[in-house]
């Protein structure tokens, strides 16, 4: 008798703990789905299902739960929204022996992430010189379509970037060894063979190291608005309200995009070869141990290193801008931490080697993990959560509970609520700039349409997203920061 | 003949329409580059040869868009006009026309990361061919 697969019952969610919802294991699922959210977030997901939307995040949580070797649960963080194959905010951990590696679980912008810098400047220092600082940053930081970095590379040098990551920049005096200490993987992940990356991907990156990009990428000068946990804040070098931090949000640029494009094809073939059902065109994968899986893993590592180098080059340019506009010596701008939120990494959880995919999700390791800088070991790693342009952002810390429940993962941002076109119809870039100026925020961008697409109202409220993580105990709030200067592509 | 956009929650949906499938592909390419810049402001001064292939029509469409994005990047240009010289056995030979990208001269918008398989559809409706997909921005 032919077994007819059971239809996914996507509305069968139940709250198993406060802010923790389970999609019970059924149909083809190998594990249950777990979604973190408040009522509003969950209702939004259910509404998409009820409206019969093809593009829906719960379906994607279900699909990931059906993949071979998945461990514990197919997870979604509270900033969850539909992505390509994997939901954004999705986390999937797979056994390295029996599990898979998936292009969809990493996404097109490999190791997109945030570098956070701390200074001893105060809000008052910036306000006195805000316009000049904004203009200097805008002049120095290459951003927007077609911008080029100062570092021009050839094939040999790009291969070096792909292996060395941020170290490539440090060797060229674009920053200090101390920066490396406070980057995940110390700014250089092992296992990157440049041969796994196509020449086309490399050529696209020749002029793009040290560029911000566009879309939701930004550089923000922020001040500490609220401190929730003084001890943790102090450990991270944040001592008072009004202290200035700088956040740089960007990724692996064109190289990462091209790796995604190239391997979407390769892993589609691998899915067919290894008879892994393809439930959505982008949800292609290969057994982690297979030659195809290992090659993609190597390419991801190369992409991760490229993003590390890119952000390090931008940090250097930021220091130059602050020196010029504010007379701040380079050494007074220190790296607080750098996180990536589009990655898959080999990690040990409960004594087992797993390949953990985080697609629009931040690693949020709790206290004592060996991967965290020694200075932060007692608190857990900083979890940098970017808000939307002109609102506010948060720094949280990882927890022991997060290690148990989410493989040490948390949300990465606010999560889109409205399409780009809808945002453009609703807001005009120039008016947004005026409104934000009235709130004391200076925005410099290359594209007015781009600014309208990123309007604060087009996103969920990041506070609600962060509160879910905090109340569920996955990551705890340390500080809230507000922007003064925003540079956009 | 024409290009259009369709709503998408996070990214941008593009549709190219034409009297032949090749023309629909050319129009879709315009939709992509008009997402990056105001293509009216881009003169077709420079000509770049484009060749790509795939195993079926749908994949060929994705290849076509992604190849154009990659060539634009490598050559620091932005395209505004496309001419597919031949399209058979899932192989395209074409020229893309454009000029050096100038942030001051061209009204720049949002960078496109790549074409995705999402909502990918190729077909013929009311005598016109169409090619559509979502592009990741």
């Amino acid at each position: 008798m032919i077994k007819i697969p059971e239809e996914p019952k996507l509305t069968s969610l139940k709250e198993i703990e406060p802010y923790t919802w389970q999609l019970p294991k059924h149909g083809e699922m190998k594990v249950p789905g777990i979604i973190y959210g408040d009522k509003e977030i969950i209702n939004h997901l259910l509404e998409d299902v009820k409206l019969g939307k093809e593009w829906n995040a719960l379906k994607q949580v279900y699909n990931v739960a059906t993949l071979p070797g998945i461990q514990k649960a197919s997870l979604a963080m509270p900033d969850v929204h539909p992505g390509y194959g994997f939901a954004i905010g999705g986390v999937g951990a797979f056994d390295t022996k029996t599990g898979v590696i998936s292009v969809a679980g990493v996404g097109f912008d490999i190791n997109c992430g945030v570098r956070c810098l701390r200074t001893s400047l105060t809000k008052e220092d910036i306000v006195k010189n805000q316009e000049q600082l904004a203009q200097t940053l805008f002049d120095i930081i290459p951003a927007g379509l077609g911008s080029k970095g100062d570092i021009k590379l050839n094939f040999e040098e790009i291969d070096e970037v792909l292996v060395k990551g941020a170290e490539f920049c440090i060797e060229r005096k674009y920053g200090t060894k101390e920066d490396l200490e406070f980057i995940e993987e110390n700014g250089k992940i092992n296992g990157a063979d440049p041969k796994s990356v196509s020449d086309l991907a490399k050529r696209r990156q020749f002029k793009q190291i040290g560029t911000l990009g566009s879309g939701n990428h930004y550089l923000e000068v922020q001040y500490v608005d609220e401190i929730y946990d003084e001890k943790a804040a102090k450990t991270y070098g944040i001592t008072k309200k009004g202290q200035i931090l700088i956040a740089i949000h960007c990724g692996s640029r064109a190289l990462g995009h091209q790796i995604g494009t190239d391997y979407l094809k390769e892993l589609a073939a691998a899915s067919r070869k290894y008879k892994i059902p393809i439930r959505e065109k982008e949800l292609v994968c290969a057994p982690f141990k297979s030659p195809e899986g290992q090659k993609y893993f190597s390419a991801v590592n190369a992409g991760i290193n490229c993003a590390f180098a890119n952000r390090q080059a931008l940090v250097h340019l930021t220091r130059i801008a602050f020196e010029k506009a504010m007379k701040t010596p380079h050494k007074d701008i220190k790296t607080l931490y750098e996180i990536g939120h589009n990655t898959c990494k080999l990690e040990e959880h409960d004594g087992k080697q797993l390949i953990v995919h985080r697609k629009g999700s931040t690693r949020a390791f709790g206290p004592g993990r060996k991967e965290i800088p020694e200075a932060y070991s007692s608190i857990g790693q900083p979890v940098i959560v970017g808000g939307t342009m002109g609102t506010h952002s948060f720094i949280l810390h990882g927890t022991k509970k997060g290690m148990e429940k989410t493989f040490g993962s948390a949300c990465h941002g606010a999560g889109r609520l409205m399409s780009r076109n809808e945002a453009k119809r609703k807001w005009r870039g120039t008016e947004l700039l005026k409104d934000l100026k009235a709130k004391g925020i200076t925005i410099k961008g290359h594209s007015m349409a781009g600014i309208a697409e990123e309007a604060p109202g087009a996103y969920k409220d990041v506070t609600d997203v962060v509160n879910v993580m905090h109340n569920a105990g996955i990551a705890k709030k340390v500080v809230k920061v507000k922007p003064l200067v925003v540079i956009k592509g | 003949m024409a290009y259009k956009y369709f709503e998408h929650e996070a990214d941008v949906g593009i549709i190219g329409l034409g009297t032949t499938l090749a023309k629909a592909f050319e129009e879709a390419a315009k939709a992509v580059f008009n997402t990056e810049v105001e293509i009216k402001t881009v003169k077709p001064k420079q000509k770049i040869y484009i060749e790509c292939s795939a195993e079926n029509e749908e994949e060929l469409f994705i290849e076509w868009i992604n190849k154009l994005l990659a060539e634009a990047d490598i050559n620091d240009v932005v395209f505004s006009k496309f001419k597919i010289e031949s399209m058979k056995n899932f192989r395209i030979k074409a020229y893309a026309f454009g000029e050096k990208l100038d942030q001051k001269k061209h009204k720049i918008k949002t960078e496109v990361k790549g074409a995705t398989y999402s909502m990918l559809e190729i077909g013929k409706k009311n005598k016109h061919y169409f090619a559509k997909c979502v592009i990741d921005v």
Side-chain angles (χ1 to χ4, degrees), chain A residues 394-410:
Chain A
F394 290 88
I395 298 175
L396 296 86
H397 71 77
T399 65
K400 199 164 164 276
K401 189 172 178 192
M403 295 313 302
E404 288 159 11
K405 300 283 183 185
T406 63
F407 305 102
S409 315

Side-chain angles (χ1 to χ4, degrees), chain A residues 60 63-64 67 83-92 94 101-109 260 263-264 267 278 280-286 296 300 341-344 357-360:
Chain A
Q60 295 180 328
N63 287 344
V64 171
L67 294 176
Y84 299 106
F86 250 68
I88 314 283
V91 178
F94 298 85
I101 183 167
S102 170
V103 179
V106 181
F108 275 106
D109 193 356
Y263 279 92
L264 209 48
L267 293 207
I278 303 174
E280 198 179 318
K281 272 252 178 174
E282 251 100 12
L283 192 58
V284 292
C285 34
Y296 175 58
V300 169
H341 48 223
N342 277 357
T343 58
C344 68
H357 298 66
R358 295 187 181 89
K359 163 85 165 280

Side-chain angles (χ1 to χ4, degrees), chain A residues 273-342:
Chain A
K273 177 174 165 190
Y274 296 102
K275 300 194 170 40
I276 303 165
I278 303 174
R279 287 166 207 278
E280 198 179 318
K281 272 252 178 174
E282 251 100 12
L283 192 58
V284 292
C285 34
F288 180 68
K289 286 286 181 216
S290 69
E292 296 88 344
Q294 286 297 299
K295 196 175 159 215
Y296 175 58
F297 184 51
S298 170
V300 169
N301 287 331
I304 287 177
N305 283 333
C306 176
F308 282 149
N310 190 36
R311 284 190 288 265
Q312 184 61 44
L314 286 167
V315 166
H316 180 64
L317 296 176
T318 304
R319 284 181 174 135
I320 291 174
F322 267 77
E323 186 182 41
K324 201 170 166 204
M326 305 290 301
K327 311 223 168 351
T328 312
H330 286 211
K331 65 175 178 37
D332 287 1
I333 298 178
K334 296 187 191 312
T335 295
L336 189 152
Y337 204 54
E338 179 178 302
I339 55 93
H341 48 223
N342 277 357

Side-chain angles (χ1 to χ4, degrees), chain A residues 83-281:
Chain A
Y84 299 106
F86 250 68
I88 314 283
V91 178
F94 298 85
D95 186 296
T96 48
K97 292 191 195 82
T98 59
V100 293
I101 183 167
S102 170
V103 179
V106 181
F108 275 106
D109 193 356
I110 299 169
N111 198 21
C112 180
V114 184
R115 170 78 68 102
C116 181
L117 304 168
R118 65 184 157 85
T119 74
S120 47
L121 295 166
T122 63
K123 186 183 172 189
E124 287 69 38
D125 297 328
I126 302 294
V127 170
K128 274 187 255 171
N129 208 9
Q130 192 160 334
E131 184 54 38
Q132 199 203 332
L133 174 65
Q135 191 57 49
T136 311
L137 281 165
F138 190 61
D139 291 342
I140 288 179
I141 305 282
L145 183 75
S147 59
K148 297 184 222 25
D150 271 351
I151 308 173
K152 305 276 187 295
L153 305 173
N154 56 30
F155 277 113
E156 239 169 75
E157 291 159 330
I158 192 90
D159 283 358
E160 222 184 303
V161 168
L162 302 188
V163 172
K164 289 184 176 169
E167 231 178 68
F168 175 90
C169 295
I170 304 302
E171 283 173 6
R172 281 155 185 77
K173 309 272 182 251
Y174 277 29
T176 65
K177 285 225 163 84
E178 202 191 336
D179 286 327
L180 298 179
E181 233 183 281
F182 294 95
I183 307 176
E184 283 184 352
E185 325 297 337
N186 300 115
K188 175 190 172 183
I189 199 160
N190 292 325
D193 180 357
K195 285 205 278 298
S196 60
V197 178
S198 69
D199 281 357
L200 188 61
K202 291 174 187 174
R203 285 178 69 197
R204 290 184 73 176
Q205 195 61 27
F206 281 174
K207 298 169 201 157
Q208 291 203 2
I209 292 287
T211 61
L212 196 59
S214 74
N216 63 356
H217 294 155
Y218 59 77
L219 180 148
E220 265 189 13
V221 179
Q222 314 161 325
Y223 67 94
V224 176
D225 180 53
E226 208 165 336
I227 299 178
Y228 303 98
D229 180 338
E230 279 194 17
K231 189 182 156 206
K234 208 173 158 196
T235 306
Y236 294 162
I238 298 169
T239 53
K240 56 179 186 285
K241 276 194 192 181
Q243 185 175 342
I244 294 296
L245 306 182
I246 303 155
I248 301 169
H249 176 214
C250 64
S252 49
R253 312 287 297 113
L255 181 121
H257 311 165
Q258 191 64 43
I259 291 174
T261 301
D262 291 341
Y263 279 92
L264 209 48
K265 282 182 284 179
E266 289 207 28
L267 293 207
S271 290
R272 290 189 287 267
K273 177 174 165 190
Y274 296 102
K275 300 194 170 40
I276 303 165
I278 303 174
R279 287 166 207 278
E280 198 179 318
K281 272 252 178 174

